[in-house]
Amino acid sequence: MLTKQDIIAEARRLKFADIGFTNAEPFTSQKEYLLDHMTEYGWTQKAGFSLLDGTDPQNILPGAKSIIVLLESYFAEAFPHQMEGNFGRCYLDDDRVTKDGLALKVKAFRQFLKANSIDSKVPFNLPHRLAAARAGLGTFGKNSLFYARRVARASSWIIPVTIVIDSEFPPDEPTVAIGCPEWCRNACVAACPTGALKGGGKIDPRRCISYLTYYGEGLTPRELREPMGMYVYGCDRCQNVCPRNLPWMSEAKIMNSRVAAKAADFELACLLHMDKPYFTQKIWPHMFYMSADDLWRWKMNAARAMGNSLNPAYTADLIRAFKENSDERVQSMIAWALSRIGGQEAKEALNQFQKGSKGIVRDEIEQAFAEL
Ligand code: SF4
Ligand code: SF4
C-alpha cells in the first residue's frame, strides 16, 4: 500500500517544485464568496468554467477522499524580454493544448497513482490556489495571487495543479492567510493600472487586463487603452512590482529555448497582419482563450500595444493593417494608435482614411485629429 512518503518521492522524481495534501472537504468559503459576488464572477458560469461546481470535490470525483496539490514553477527559465512585455508569463510556455510539457508530468504522476490502485481526476474548476493554501504550500498576496512557501524563493511564479483522489492520506497543516509584509504599502494595488485590485486580496476580474485582453467585449473603451499599456494577452504588473517576487526575479536564469524559438511568431506586426491559418498554426496552440473567430480582438490588442509603444516604426504596419481589415473595432483602434504615435505619415494616413469612413471609425478618426 502506497504511503504519503512514496507519493512525495514520485512528485520529486518527476521534478514538481513541491507537493502538499489536503482533505476533500468542500470549499465552502469559496462557494459563499462566489455566490456573494456573482456580478463579478457571473461571466465564468456563462464561459463554462463551472466554478461553483468546482467548490465540492465530490462533484469532480464521487467518493473523493483527499486532494494532492503539486506546484509547478513556470518561470524557472528566462523569457525573451519582448515576450514578457506583451504577454503574461504563465501563458508563454502553456502546454494545455500541445500537452508536451507539464501535461506529460501530470500524466506520469497519475499513471503512478493508478498503478497503485488510486483513482484520480485533474479538475479545471477546483479553487486551485485555495486548495494549495489548504495543503500548506503557501500564502496569498494582496494581489489575490498565491505565493509558494518553500520553493521558487517564495514567489508567485508557480502553478498549483490539483489532483482529486479516492484514497485518504493525512492532510498537511493549512496556511490559508495573506502573507504580505506589513511594510509593503500595497504596491500591487497602487500599480494595477485598471483598478482591478480592491485591497485585502480581492479582485474584480472584469477590470483585470488579463480578462480584458481575451474576453473584453467590443472596442476597448478609450479610458482603458493607455492603462492596458503593452499587454496583448494577460498581465503581470502586480507580480512584477511585488517585493515578495524580487528574490526570484533577480536571479540569473538560462533562456527558455521553447519560448525563444516562437518569439518571432508573436511579434506585434505578425499578430496585426495574421490570417486564420497563421493563427491556427502558430498562435492558438499556445494561447487559446480566443478562437479564430476572435482575430479582431487579437489585432485590436496588437494595434493598441503598438500605439502605446510610441514607436514610429509601427506606423507603416498600422496603415497597412487599416487597409487590410474591414472590422470597425480594429480600424478604430488603428486610428487611435496612429494618433498616439503621431507624426506626418500618421496624419496623412488618417486624412486619407477619413474619406469614406463612417460610424465608430469616423468618430475615432475625428478624435484622433483632435488629439494630433
Ligand atoms: S494582472 Fe494586471 S490588471 Fe490584473 S490585477 Fe494584476 S496588475 Fe491589475
Ligand atoms: S505588492 Fe505588497 S501588498 Fe501586494 S502582494 Fe506583494 S507584498 Fe503583498
Side-chain angles (χ1 to χ4, degrees):
M1 170 122 173
L2 214 54
T3 66
K4 189 170 167 179
Q5 273 315 314
D6 295 332
I7 296 177
I8 292 170
E10 181 65 5
R12 291 204 177 121
R13 191 186 71 77
L14 290 169
K15 298 201 175 352
F16 283 102
D18 206 353
I19 176 172
F21 293 73
T22 183
N23 59 39
E25 293 295 310
F27 294 84
T28 311
S29 64
Q30 181 73 0
K31 185 174 184 179
E32 286 168 0
Y33 184 82
L34 288 173
L35 289 171
D36 286 348
H37 293 80
M38 277 326 241
T39 322
E40 289 109 305
Y41 288 90
W43 64 272
T44 59
Q45 292 296 113
K46 283 188 211 136
F49 292 137
S50 315
L51 297 185
L52 282 171
D53 283 350
T55 59
D56 188 351
Q58 299 304 324
N59 293 334
I60 292 151
L61 178 66
K65 300 257 176 41
S66 290
I67 300 170
I68 298 173
V69 185
L70 300 162
L71 289 190
E72 174 76 353
S73 175
Y74 66 84
F75 186 19
E77 294 177 325
F79 299 120
H81 186 59
Q82 164 257 325
M83 293 284 271
E84 290 180 322
N86 296 141
F87 310 97
R89 287 187 186 88
C90 69
Y91 303 115
L92 293 181
D93 203 9
D94 185 340
D95 81 326
R96 282 178 285 174
V97 171
T98 55
K99 302 208 181 299
D100 53 358
L102 173 60
L104 294 176
K105 286 166 60 172
V106 174
K107 188 175 175 191
F109 186 78
R110 291 183 70 201
Q111 279 170 344
F112 166 78
L113 295 175
K114 192 173 178 193
N116 288 280
S117 307
I118 296 175
D119 198 10
S120 68
K121 281 271 175 358
V122 183
F124 64 94
N125 56 348
L126 192 125
H128 300 88
R129 294 171 189 164
L130 185 53
R134 219 165 78 173
L137 290 171
T139 57
F140 293 98
K142 289 183 189 170
N143 52 10
S144 87
L145 293 163
F146 183 74
Y147 287 72
R149 185 162 68 93
R150 296 181 285 243
V151 296
R153 305 284 180 270
S155 73
S156 62
W157 309 110
I158 35 97
I159 301 173
V161 178
T162 52
I163 302 187
V164 181
I165 59 171
D166 65 352
S167 295
E168 193 161 354
F169 291 94
D172 291 308
E173 191 64 34
T175 48
V176 184
I178 287 183
C180 298
E182 278 188 18
W183 51 261
C184 180
R185 299 180 184 176
N186 300 324
C188 53
V189 179
C192 177
T194 50
L197 294 177
K198 302 290 169 203
K202 303 288 185 287
I203 182 171
D204 180 348
R206 299 164 308 161
R207 287 198 67 83
C208 178
I209 290 172
S210 298
Y211 171 93
L212 292 167
T213 52
Y214 35 71
Y215 293 132
E217 282 181 22
L219 177 63
T220 305
R222 291 183 79 80
E223 69 275 14
L224 288 176
R225 294 177 196 170
E226 270 192 59
M228 287 171 71
M230 299 297 295
Y231 281 115
V232 172
Y233 190 102
C235 169
D236 274 342
R237 192 153 170 177
C238 55
Q239 297 192 86
N240 289 342
V241 300
C242 176
R244 296 174 74 180
N245 278 337
L246 277 182
W248 189 248
M249 289 183 73
S250 55
E251 270 190 29
K253 302 173 185 67
I254 57 159
M255 180 55 68
N256 182 318
S257 55
R258 285 157 54 105
V259 177
K262 65 190 179 195
D265 295 338
F266 283 79
E267 283 179 7
L268 293 179
C270 296
L271 300 177
L272 186 66
H273 300 302
M274 70 181 164
D275 56 15
K276 282 193 180 184
Y278 183 98
F279 171 74
T280 310
Q281 285 163 26
K282 295 180 183 287
I283 307 299
W284 185 82
H286 311 291
M287 297 183 194
F288 55 89
Y289 287 172
M290 290 183 269
S291 74
D293 293 333
D294 283 341
L295 278 198
W296 67 269
R297 197 187 281 109
W298 270 104
K299 292 176 182 223
M300 179 181 72
N301 291 342
R304 191 234 324 125
M306 284 179 169
N308 282 327
S309 77
L310 306 178
N311 187 349
Y314 287 129
T315 301
D317 276 310
L318 288 163
I319 292 171
R320 187 182 131 206
F322 189 97
K323 295 172 185 167
E324 284 170 350
N325 281 279
S326 55
D327 189 292
E328 61 180 11
R329 296 158 295 193
V330 179
Q331 287 190 330
S332 297
M333 190 60 84
I334 290 173
W336 178 84
L338 285 171
S339 76
R340 185 129 168 77
I341 295 173
Q344 193 54 31
E345 197 185 355
K347 213 182 251 182
E348 283 169 15
L350 285 167
N351 212 3
Q352 195 196 346
F353 298 155
Q354 193 174 29
K355 297 168 196 148
S357 64
K358 53 184 195 270
I360 60 168
V361 181
R362 190 174 186 83
D363 293 347
E364 282 293 341
I365 293 175
E366 280 169 9
Q367 294 210 49
F369 274 124
E371 271 155 43
L372 277 168

